[in-house]
Amino acid sequence: LKDQVEWINDSKSTTLASTAYALEVIQKPIIWIAGTNDSKRDFSVVEKLIRMKVCKIICYGKFDTSIKYSLSSVVDGYAYKNELSDAVEIAKQWSHKGYAVLFSPGCSSYEKFDDYKDRGNEFINLVNQLKYTANLPL
């Protein structure tokens, strides 16, 4: 919890099925940080949960088109950033008191990280470096 926003490291989710589980158990408005890679993914596994629970999606990585065309129209906000650090910064800007920011890539990202632990550690470091002001939107 950082300034009343819950930051969840689910870097181990390398499939959309595992991301679906994470989405299912969170009981707050969700900003989802999703990974991208060049593999084909079937977003129907998570679409219903996204419609019900996710307000914004932030993609990071080299390939944003599959998520962009599959899911960007079902949420209130969508952003694409090449770097995880930029995705975390956008999530901070979009988050409100009582929100959850879910880092659940739903894919591997070997082009940038050694494994899910390395990726998760990078996420944790980025969140720990965030600076908040006392005036978070309600």
Side-chain angles (χ1 to χ4, degrees):
L1 204 61
K2 192 162 181 96
D3 217 20
Q4 300 185 34
V5 174
E6 187 173 4
W7 291 82
I8 302 167
N9 176 14
D10 187 32
S11 178
K12 192 170 185 178
S13 285
T14 57
T15 66
L16 289 174
S18 56
T19 294
Y21 179 77
L23 292 169
E24 199 169 317
V25 298
I26 297 171
Q27 299 301 312
K28 300 175 179 185
I30 300 169
I31 296 172
W32 176 32
I33 299 177
T36 65
N37 64 19
D38 59 352
S39 65
K40 284 194 163 248
R41 295 188 284 170
D42 178 8
F43 292 102
S44 66
V45 173
V46 292
E47 186 174 350
K48 183 177 178 184
L49 287 166
I50 287 169
R51 287 181 184 276
M52 292 175 14
K53 295 186 159 202
V54 175
C55 23
K56 299 181 187 307
I57 298 173
I58 306 162
C59 294
Y60 79 93
K62 291 182 181 179
F63 309 92
D64 79 319
T65 52
S66 63
I67 292 176
K68 180 179 181 178
Y69 293 116
S70 298
L71 300 173
S72 65
S73 65
V74 302
V75 293
D76 292 334
Y78 172 84
Y80 165 73
K81 296 295 177 186
N82 199 32
E83 299 297 327
L84 180 56
S85 58
D86 296 329
V88 168
E89 186 58 38
I90 293 291
K92 178 194 142 202
Q93 292 171 18
W94 284 354
S95 62
H96 298 275
K97 175 182 175 181
Y99 273 47
V101 176
L102 174 64
F103 176 54
S104 187
C107 65
S108 64
S109 55
Y110 291 117
E111 69 278 354
K112 290 201 178 253
F113 300 101
D114 293 338
D115 55 22
Y116 78 89
K117 290 178 189 175
D118 182 37
R119 179 172 63 187
N121 287 335
E122 177 68 12
F123 175 74
I124 290 166
N125 290 336
L126 292 166
V127 171
N128 286 337
Q129 292 172 27
L130 289 176
K131 304 282 189 253
Y132 274 95
T133 63
N135 298 326
L136 251 185
L138 297 176

